[in-house]
């Protein structure tokens, strides 16, 4: 029986190199949208989805995405 070649990533084939974890930065994420803004989008999406017999669902699924993008900010945790 031939021994397999040792993995450069440790014992487990799924283990990541230690350097990858050392290079990660911690980010602080702040979200500033209001609940009423999301509720308004959700209720309109629900009504249009029911009225169109779920034909509006694909549009309803992506409609909140711009709101999430506008109201999300990320900074280095060291600067927060």
């Amino acid at each position: 029986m031939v021994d397999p070649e040792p993995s450069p990533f440790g014992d487990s084939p799924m283990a990541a190199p230690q350097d990858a974890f050392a290079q990660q930065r911690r980010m602080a994420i702040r979200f500033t949208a209001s609940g009423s803004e999301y509720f308004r989008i959700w209720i309109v999406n629900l009504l249009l989805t029911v009225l169109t017999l779920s034909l509006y669902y694909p549009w309803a699924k992506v409609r909140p995405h711009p709101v999430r993008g506008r109201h999300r900010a990320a900074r280095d945790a060291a600067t927060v």
Side-chain angles (χ1 to χ4, degrees):
M1 188 171 200
V2 177
D3 289 334
E5 192 174 308
S7 172
F9 302 118
D11 295 336
S12 171
M14 299 301 289
Q18 295 298 322
D19 294 340
F21 294 113
Q23 293 174 1
Q24 290 182 354
R25 295 186 310 178
R26 291 193 55 93
M27 300 293 283
I29 298 175
R30 198 172 91 208
F31 191 71
T32 60
S34 66
S36 63
E37 188 173 10
Y38 261 134
F39 180 74
R40 185 177 54 86
I41 292 171
W42 178 79
I43 198 74
V44 169
N45 286 345
L46 179 68
L47 290 173
L48 288 173
T49 301
V50 169
L51 290 174
T52 61
L53 303 174
S54 77
L55 291 175
Y56 186 75
Y57 180 74
W59 288 275
K61 190 169 180 160
V62 297
R63 194 164 168 220
H65 290 217
V67 174
R68 289 184 196 135
R70 273 195 314 265
H71 294 285
R72 190 179 315 156
R75 293 191 219 161
D76 276 334
T79 61
V80 174

